Amino acid sequence: MIYIAIAVVIFAIGGIGIIWKDNILLKLLSLGIMNAGVVVLFVSIAGLKHRIPAILNTNGPYADPLPQAVIITSIVIGFATMSLALVFTMLISLKKGTLSSKKLQEDIDREH
Amino acid sequence: MSIDIHVYPSLLTLVPMLFAPLFLLFRTKVIHKILATLTVLLDLLIIYKLMLAMPIDEYTGGWILRGIHLRFDNLSLIYTLLFVTVIGTSWISSFKKNYPPLFYFLTSILLSTLNTSAITLDLFNIYVMLELSSIIAYILIAMKENWKHLWASLKYLMISYFAFTMYLTAVGLIYMHTGTLDITRISGEISPIIASMLIVPLLLKSGVFPVSMWLPAAHSLAPTEVSAILSGSFVKMGSIVIFRLTSTPILKHAYIPITFIALLSALIGVILAYNESNVKRILAFSTISQMGFVLAGGPIYGSLHAFNHGIFKSLLFFTVGDQVEETGHYDIKALKHAKFPMYRYIFLLIGILGIAGVPLFSGFISKSIIIHHMPLYGKIALILASIGTVASMAKLASIGYRKSILKIPSHYLIFATITVFVGIKYINYALSSWALIESFIVIAIGLAIFLMLHPKHIPRILEKLDIMVIEYMLTLISMWAILYIQR
């Protein structure tokens, strides 16, 4: 149970960071932290109920393989999304010269 | 000669996915045309074959009750037809312009993910498809590499990554409680907080008001074909998953808060659209409003409106987008000087008549059926929203036309034909004296509002990233509260 509490705390820290921080890079970092919270949650779910192993017919406590398979996929997706976001951030800073989300929003409201 | 082929629902995923890399391998336009035609034709053939044997259940890999559960039924039929029509027609249009091979690669994969979302019943598979299609959308929106496009796309990326992380958490918790990811086999009770964490991300994906303020910037800045794909097919993906979830016994009660949000969205969407001066943003806000109609309509009638809306909104985005690209103006006042060429104006009018719900056009059927089946408060809200739709679309029509040579671009023609064909063929389902009177009153009041009421500039506070996160959290909390009270 303590792992679930830790997961929720990590998740909340990330969520607050997205609202609080102005810099895009820090916002992305907060997103990464949030994702880490979900990973912790899934790993703890896998160990909560001891299920029978999928292939071998042996006794004893085993972690559920499905949450782990799920989280591997989601880590890969998170990696892809995050790299794309960083590329976008890099291009924005090259073309616009600022990473402040407030300033970008003001400019886009004026020009579009 | 008849060839007996066995088709499986999973082919709808595999075929566009297999064709996608070929677009990158062969970089000549001729081969791209052949590949695109083949993809669309094969997709249509598979849909046709599946339609004959509906409903089909499939477990991938033959692992009965263990593999990913796919099902092809009425709902899938409507949605897959819409997806292949919108993307195929966008390809036709894109061949006239200079799109990189990457565009075809991405849209082909997008077609595959959209098809999968229409047939899958597995919660985690839905997550993968949501994420994959979103990643493609980010790249498509930012394809011009202008800082505005990049920022619009990045805003969408952050809010939707935030939301889908929650969706994944909800999926994990559901697995923990029930031990299955198959929508049809989830039993027992889902706690309100998990249910709202599952549904609100899908609302974000389907472009409904409080959670989808990423949509106006992204849809209006994207290139014409991409706008049409996003508004015509991409935002429909969330709605089909919501229909699937709410038709299960455990999440049936979630339909009431969803209807409230949908009605709110239908109303606020038109108010924002009416007070907007950027033509593509008018269309984007009207998408928010129309998605409210779709979600309020429920699985049977809502999916019909999703199809009709996908078709005429793509037509509107094509006509307006082509005009914007030609003149370089987004503002309605500047466009009034340039005016539409006559042939384009005619097609624009067909789209507008469709979306405004004029009899003999497809919007009339689905809109009046949805309004007919709502309780009284829903009827009032949706009729008000229809009046707003007429008023905001009259703004587009007021741009006017100039004489020009007559051309009939094939991509306009396809959408216009479907709008009129559906409108005439199925008119019996909606035709009643009440529906006719209602539609004429709506149009009259809408035009009166357009003539009397001057639009005001509304500040775009709701589109700031941090405000969007707060909007999202508020929606989540209110959804949770309603579900908790209902229990």
Side-chain angles (χ1 to χ4, degrees), chain B residues 199-457:
Chain B
I199 288 167
V200 179
L202 295 170
L203 289 175
L204 181 136
K205 182 83 176 179
S206 48
V208 182
F209 162 64
V211 281
S212 298
M213 292 313 280
W214 58 271
L215 192 147
H219 285 210
S220 64
L221 280 165
T224 309
E225 282 74 19
V226 178
S227 301
I229 290 175
L230 288 180
S231 246
S233 61
F234 179 74
V235 292
K236 308 292 185 295
M237 189 173 173
S239 64
I240 186 169
V241 181
I242 287 178
F243 291 154
R244 292 260 193 234
L245 283 175
T246 48
S247 49
T248 57
I250 38 155
L251 277 170
K252 208 162 203 142
H253 58 287
Y255 207 77
I256 294 160
I258 291 174
T259 315
F260 280 130
I261 292 175
L263 294 177
L264 183 76
S265 169
L267 281 173
I268 305 278
V270 287
I271 293 173
L272 291 172
Y274 186 68
N275 292 306
E276 185 58 58
S277 61
N278 178 328
V279 276
K280 281 189 90 174
R281 282 175 65 95
I282 294 178
L283 290 179
F285 279 124
S286 132
T287 299
I288 291 184
S289 156
Q290 296 295 313
M291 285 315 289
F293 277 84
V294 170
L295 285 179
I300 303 163
Y301 316 116
S303 56
L304 288 179
H305 194 61
F307 181 85
N308 291 340
H309 172 251
I311 300 293
F312 50 64
K313 187 48 74 66
S314 305
L315 178 61
L316 286 170
F317 260 115
F318 268 124
T319 48
V320 172
D322 282 349
Q323 181 72 5
V324 165
E325 273 178 15
E326 227 173 76
T327 58
H329 294 302
Y330 281 96
D331 193 73
I332 200 157
K333 275 185 194 135
L335 279 171
K336 271 182 186 167
H337 286 290
K339 294 198 188 308
F340 280 95
M342 182 129 109
Y343 70 95
R344 197 173 282 160
Y345 190 73
I346 294 169
F347 285 107
L348 177 82
L349 272 187
I350 294 177
I352 288 175
L353 294 176
I355 201 169
V358 177
L360 295 182
F361 292 88
S362 62
F364 169 70
I365 300 167
S366 42
K367 262 189 181 177
S368 45
I369 293 180
I370 288 173
I371 292 174
H372 181 72
H373 283 90
M374 287 298 281
L376 186 67
Y377 61 90
K379 274 193 178 108
I380 296 169
L382 287 185
I383 286 176
L384 286 177
S386 311
I387 292 172
T389 310
V390 174
S392 50
M393 285 302 137
K395 270 177 84 171
L396 282 183
S398 73
I399 292 175
Y401 63 91
R402 59 183 157 78
K403 282 204 172 106
S404 71
I405 43 162
L406 195 69
K407 275 193 287 187
I408 301 179
S410 45
H411 51 291
Y412 293 175
L413 192 66
I414 293 173
F415 288 132
T417 320
I418 298 175
T419 307
V420 177
F421 175 77
V422 173
I424 293 173
K425 178 122 197 270
Y426 297 103
I427 195 159
N428 288 334
Y429 292 97
L431 202 64
S432 64
S433 50
W434 189 84
L436 276 179
I437 294 167
E438 178 241 300
S439 88
F440 282 118
I441 290 175
V442 162
I443 291 161
I445 299 178
L447 288 176
I449 286 179
F450 165 69
L451 292 173
M452 312 264 225
L453 212 67
H454 286 287
K456 291 190 184 101
H457 180 70

Side-chain angles (χ1 to χ4, degrees), chain A residues 35 49 64 95 105 112, chain B residues 145 155 161 175-176 460:
Chain A
N35 203 32
K49 287 182 186 167
D64 191 355
K95 285 178 191 200
Q105 188 62 40
H112 183 61
Chain B
E145 293 189 12
K155 260 200 309 188
Y161 189 59
Y175 182 75
M176 186 171 91
R460 295 173 189 168

Side-chain angles (χ1 to χ4, degrees), chain B residues 85-104:
Chain B
T85 320
V86 171
I87 290 182
T89 318
S90 302
W91 279 340
I92 294 177
S93 163
S94 69
F95 286 129
K96 291 169 189 159
K97 296 168 188 174
N98 264 332
Y99 273 97
L102 185 70
F103 171 79
Y104 302 102

Side-chain angles (χ1 to χ4, degrees), chain A residues 74-89:
Chain A
S74 102
I75 288 173
V76 173
I77 291 173
F79 166 73
T81 317
M82 203 50 85
S83 2
L84 189 66
L86 288 173
V87 169
F88 283 0
T89 317

Side-chain angles (χ1 to χ4, degrees), chain A residues 4 11 15 18-19 24 27-28 31 34-35 38 41-42 45 48-49 51 64 66-67 70-71 73-74 77-78 80-82 84-85 88-89 91-92 95-96 101 104-105 107-109 111-112, chain B residues 124 127-128 131 135 138-139 142 145-148 150-155 157-158 161-162 165-166 168-169 171-173 175-177 179 181 220-221 278 281 330 460 463-466 469-470:
Chain A
I4 292 182
F11 193 88
I18 296 169
I19 302 175
I24 301 175
K27 277 186 197 278
L28 288 176
L31 275 177
M34 250 181 65
N35 203 32
V38 179
L41 180 80
F42 264 85
I45 288 171
L48 266 185
K49 287 182 186 167
R51 289 162 200 268
D64 191 355
L66 196 127
V70 162
I71 208 62
T73 320
S74 102
I77 291 173
T81 317
M82 203 50 85
L84 189 66
F88 283 0
T89 317
L91 286 173
I92 287 178
K95 285 178 191 200
K96 189 66 184 156
S101 56
L104 284 168
Q105 188 62 40
D107 286 0
I108 208 172
D109 284 351
E111 289 179 30
H112 183 61
Chain B
F124 185 68
Y127 167 75
V128 175
E131 281 280 19
I135 290 175
Y138 312 145
I139 304 174
E145 293 189 12
N146 187 315
W147 71 268
K148 285 183 213 163
L150 287 164
W151 174 236
S153 176
L154 194 61
K155 260 200 309 188
L157 187 152
M158 288 201 221
Y161 189 59
F162 177 81
T165 310
M166 283 195 176
L168 185 66
T169 317
V171 172
L173 292 170
Y175 182 75
M176 186 171 91
H177 287 305
L181 289 174
S220 64
L221 280 165
N278 178 328
R281 282 175 65 95
Y330 281 96
R460 295 173 189 168
E463 288 173 43
K464 286 182 182 164
L465 185 60
D466 35 3
V469 177
I470 294 169

